[in-house]
Amino acid sequence: VTALEIKNITKVFELGGGNRVTAVQDVNFKVEQNSICVLLGPSGCGKSTILRMMAGLEIPTKGEIAIGGRTVDGPGRDRGMVFQAYTSFDWLSVRKNVEFGMKINGIDPDERRERAERFINLVGLGKFADVYPSQLSGGMRQRVAIARTLANDPEVLLMDEPFGALDAETRWLMQELMINVAEQTNTTMVIVTHDLEEAIFLADKIVFLSSHPGRVKEEIVPEFKQGQR
Ligand code: ADP
Ligand code: ADP
């Protein structure tokens, strides 16, 4: 089942003075439901721009993006986004951080408590539910952001260099965590990285982009992943 379809997307940024840059040109690919798709390529190849268009934060100049068959025309609850910088609320406990994300989306209190518990456990922070983020390591704070995003039950989880700020060992643990999350939820994931090893470890499919303008160079299915999920 196709969860996400990128249909012939081009994105041109107007820079003023008649100057423009084609960030992304004629990009097509599909992402299967409950799979991990990694966007890989050099700096400037349009990875973030593609992810931001998926999130509805940028409008394509040409083409369209469909999620579950619906055309994306702005941000929506069917998508959750995790950024490189930890976006926890330092004055709220881990539990309150995760509940706060759901409060914005109007989920009722009992359901919030139940989901917070479940997703805090899923990301391995069960013992830290009442701790404040400032007392946690960078990797743990990123787990809080992941739990908060997943608790809203998005169809698609969009992550822009999510582990780029973490040390090598923590990054490794986070990659294993994401595989675990993918296996235990119905979430479809799109992860942007420029790290080849990370891409190979995480991806069911790698969309490899080249730059100036950003185009799909190749789609790669890491061999050991074929038929695994
Ligand atoms: P990547 O994430 O692969 O590093 P980006 O999507 O950030 O690439 O950028 C792709 C190209 O689009 C680059 O040339 C970048 O300078 C340009 N670009 C991205 N965002 C904007 C913007 N808001 N305005 C103008 N140019 C932009
Ligand atoms: P505001 O309108 O003051 O920016 P919001 O409507 O975004 O606040 O959020 C409502 C409440 O959520 C705020 O009063 C604040 O205590 C809390 N909150 C938690 N994190 C944030 C954040 N990063 N930005 C804004 N408010 C936040």
Side-chain angles (χ1 to χ4, degrees):
V1 180
T2 302
L4 183 61
E5 193 171 357
I6 310 307
K7 300 187 224 177
N8 212 27
I9 289 285
T10 293
K11 178 66 185 181
V12 178
F13 288 106
E14 301 290 342
L15 302 177
N19 296 314
R20 55 185 59 166
V21 55
T22 303
V24 175
Q25 186 166 337
D26 302 326
V27 166
N28 288 281
F29 63 93
K30 292 180 184 178
V31 182
E32 283 291 294
Q33 196 170 42
N34 202 13
S35 74
I36 303 180
C37 173
V38 172
L39 304 184
L40 177 71
S43 181
C45 71
K47 302 182 295 295
S48 292
T49 301
I50 293 171
L51 202 76
R52 289 172 57 78
M53 288 189 283
M54 289 174 175
L57 300 173
E58 297 280 1
I59 308 295
T61 307
K62 203 184 80 192
E64 67 171 31
I65 296 175
I67 293 187
R70 304 176 307 276
T71 301
V72 168
D73 61 0
R77 283 179 205 171
D78 53 351
R79 284 148 286 151
M81 188 126 173
V82 173
F83 301 91
Q84 176 170 342
Y86 333 116
T87 50
S88 51
F89 307 140
D90 290 342
W91 58 93
L92 299 173
S93 67
V94 168
R95 186 194 312 280
K96 292 291 179 194
N97 260 277
V98 176
E99 289 184 5
F100 180 73
M102 289 182 275
K103 196 169 178 178
I104 294 177
N105 281 339
I107 294 165
D108 77 61
D110 287 346
E111 178 76 14
R112 289 206 293 268
R113 269 191 290 278
E114 192 266 315
R115 286 200 206 175
E117 183 85 15
R118 179 151 43 99
F119 286 97
I120 288 167
N121 284 329
L122 180 66
V123 300
L125 290 180
K127 293 196 174 112
F128 300 89
D130 297 309
V131 165
Y132 287 82
S134 57
Q135 296 168 274
L136 300 176
S137 67
M140 290 161 102
R141 268 183 280 166
Q142 193 60 312
R143 287 175 196 232
V144 176
I146 292 166
R148 191 182 58 224
T149 306
L150 286 172
N152 280 308
D153 196 25
E155 285 170 48
V156 181
L157 180 65
L158 305 170
M159 306 178 94
D160 196 352
E161 300 268 3
F163 315 132
L166 305 174
D167 62 76
E169 194 184 331
T170 308
R171 197 153 62 223
W172 178 250
L173 290 170
M174 294 299 288
Q175 290 166 8
E176 294 201 307
L177 170 72
M178 293 323 294
I179 298 275
N180 197 18
V181 167
E183 283 168 357
Q184 295 192 33
T185 67
N186 287 322
T187 317
T188 304
M189 298 186 197
V190 180
I191 303 178
V192 163
T193 185
H194 58 259
D195 180 344
L196 176 62
E197 274 188 78
E198 179 163 293
I200 292 170
F201 183 78
L202 286 173
D204 293 302
K205 174 159 86 177
I206 299 172
V207 175
F208 185 52
L209 299 146
S210 56
S211 48
H212 307 301
R215 288 176 180 275
V216 176
K217 206 169 178 192
E218 205 175 342
E219 288 189 21
I220 305 157
V221 176
E223 220 168 291
F224 66 93
K225 287 283 178 63
Q226 282 172 16
Q228 190 177 302
R229 253 189 260 146

